[in-house]
Amino acid sequence: MFFASDNWAGAHPAINERLSRESTRFAAAYGNSDLDKAVEKRFNEIFERDVSVYFVSTGTAANSLSLASIARIGGVAFSHSEAHVIEDECGAPDFFSGMRMVPVEGENGKIDPAKLAAGIAGFPQDSLHHGRAAAVTLTQATELGTVYTPDEIDALTAIARQNGLPVHMDGARFANALVALGVSPAEMTWKRGVDILSFGGTKNGCWCAEAIVFFNPDLAREFAFIRKRAAQLFSKTRFISAQFDAYLSDDLWLGMARHANTMADRLRAGIRSQNSARLAWDTTSNEVFAVLNKASAQAAEARGARFYGWPTPLNMSEPVKDDETLIRLVTSFATTEEDVDQFLTICKAD
Ligand SMILES: Cc1ncc(COP(=O)(O)O)c(C=O)c1O
């Protein structure tokens, strides 16, 4: 019953098999192999346009270097106040981009458009002392398990565009958001005005594979140097490419994300039907936030369930009582119905 994070899951057998196959041959290094080139082209098909793709090893590197590529001196980048870039990356985005991350509030992990506009207005382009607005970054799916609808993305990118700011999307759980919405990769990104995407594979069945996808080639002009200086150009890049080769073949990536979301749906339905637990807020991706009485949470942990306690957001419709606890449950391609049902049975019994 591993619900701590989709990072805890292993790698899908098809990805392991593709890696093993790649390991038996020689090929050009530093992203210059036939496989690297073929997988880069595959991203053009996935996104229905020519894109520039750069592989990196972690989501933090993908976000930080994406922001570095659009950095302006004295620039500030706006993100949701609970976004991974601002809360969980130890300042790496600030370090690599030289920009300051500025939090914007919004319910359910989503940036509020009016608050974004107000935030940008607070950093005019001639603001020498305060800093100047330079970028917007949004997370899809969000850290709170919610998913921006295409209209909600439009609303944010329109504000960014009015102010001449490029938009980055942290897609560490891109596939989970995509299948939750049932739209195409293009419809969730460049057709909505997103300029750069951190395309995550690691949380969804890869061993270690993240890609930075540029929809605007002008923004990628210097990027090869940015990545190299950040020590993220791998001599054996082809082993990231091999993972993406399997990931993007036969819709494996979408199948894995669909499975993870379905397991989360099962959790959501089971929790809704219980008296001793409730959903903290509604989510549609592979993350579920639940309020359990403390006895149930302890019983589940004692029986081997793994999950994280979560800080209580200010705007919860029903506050967490003293004898209750808020937890996050994350499902993955490797979660089974048995895991979910066992967890729900333990919660019900207590
Ligand atoms: C939304 C989001 N973005 C980025 C990351 C960073 O990924 P990594 O831990 O590989 O640096 C995470 C990891 O948990 C995440 O949840």
Side-chain angles (χ1 to χ4, degrees):
M1 291 180 285
F2 291 101
F3 299 114
S5 175
D6 33 14
N7 283 329
W8 283 40
H12 190 278
I15 287 168
N16 293 335
E17 188 277 325
R18 185 67 190 85
L19 273 170
S20 304
R21 198 146 41 89
E22 188 58 24
S23 70
T24 56
R25 67 167 192 141
F26 284 81
Y30 295 108
N32 291 315
S33 75
D34 51 344
L35 177 64
D36 297 314
K37 298 298 164 205
V39 175
E40 280 174 24
K41 281 215 180 82
R42 184 82 183 92
F43 275 85
N44 296 341
E45 290 163 22
I46 298 283
F47 284 97
E48 302 173 53
R49 66 177 288 165
D50 282 352
V51 295
S52 299
V53 187
Y54 295 84
F55 300 134
V56 295
S57 60
T58 68
T60 301
N63 289 340
S64 302
L65 300 186
S66 294
L67 290 165
S69 72
I70 47 178
R72 301 189 68 201
I73 294 171
V76 302
F78 300 90
S79 77
H80 189 270
S81 57
E82 292 175 70
H84 206 269
V85 284
I86 205 164
E87 280 288 307
D88 297 301
E89 296 183 358
C90 195
D94 311 55
F95 176 74
F96 282 103
S97 71
M99 296 199 287
R100 180 153 54 109
M101 298 292 125
V102 169
V104 183
E105 299 298 333
E107 286 188 12
N108 298 323
K110 298 181 188 179
I111 296 173
D112 179 296
K115 290 186 174 145
L116 175 63
I120 294 171
F123 291 89
Q125 292 305 307
D126 58 359
S127 174
L128 179 61
H129 298 289
H130 210 39
R132 54 180 171 169
V136 175
T137 172
L138 56 106
T139 313
Q140 179 77 321
T142 74
E143 285 75 8
L144 295 192
T146 53
V147 173
Y148 286 99
T149 64
D151 285 350
E152 287 171 333
I153 300 173
D154 277 342
L156 298 177
T157 56
I159 293 165
R161 220 172 15 256
Q162 280 154 20
N163 289 280
L165 309 185
V167 177
H168 165 252
M169 177 181 276
D170 173 357
R173 296 190 177 88
F174 186 79
N176 301 97
L178 202 64
V179 300
L181 287 177
V183 299
S184 71
E187 282 163 345
M188 206 168 78
T189 55
W190 61 271
K191 289 190 177 175
R192 305 269 76 75
V194 173
D195 298 294
I196 309 174
L197 168 70
S198 297
F199 180 91
T202 309
K203 292 178 191 300
N204 189 34
C206 288
W207 177 78
C208 166
E210 308 286 316
I212 300 172
V213 181
F214 288 89
F215 302 112
N216 176 349
D218 279 350
L219 295 177
R221 240 181 299 129
E222 304 281 297
F223 192 75
F225 291 90
I226 292 175
R227 181 179 63 173
K228 178 70 180 176
R229 290 199 70 177
Q232 279 288 322
L233 174 60
F234 291 87
S235 57
K236 293 192 179 177
T237 296
R238 67 193 166 103
F239 289 101
I240 299 182
S241 300
Q243 293 175 70
F244 276 131
D245 188 31
Y247 189 72
L248 299 174
S249 293
D250 303 323
D251 286 344
L252 176 66
W253 63 303
L254 299 176
M256 289 192 288
R258 206 166 281 122
H259 174 84
N261 287 10
T262 302
M263 291 301 101
D265 286 340
R266 196 176 179 92
L267 266 175
R268 283 184 275 263
I271 290 168
R272 269 193 205 101
S273 71
Q274 299 209 352
N275 292 329
S276 60
R278 66 177 186 279
L279 294 176
W281 53 85
D282 228 9
T283 60
T284 47
S285 69
N286 63 323
E287 292 187 301
V288 177
F289 292 82
V291 179
L292 264 62
N293 64 49
K294 283 183 178 158
S296 296
Q298 280 159 8
E301 276 188 310
R303 303 264 299 270
R306 294 291 171 266
F307 49 79
Y308 286 127
W310 209 254
T312 312
L314 291 175
N315 54 4
M316 273 182 74
S317 54
E318 193 179 339
V320 179
K321 301 187 198 77
D322 286 347
D323 62 345
E324 293 178 331
T325 184
L326 172 60
I327 64 167
R328 185 189 75 163
L329 303 160
V330 189
T331 55
S332 74
F333 79 95
T335 306
T336 63
E337 289 185 354
E338 290 70 34
D339 291 332
V340 172
D341 294 347
Q342 200 187 345
F343 177 79
L344 292 169
T345 305
I346 296 169
C347 293
K348 199 177 262 172
D350 267 84

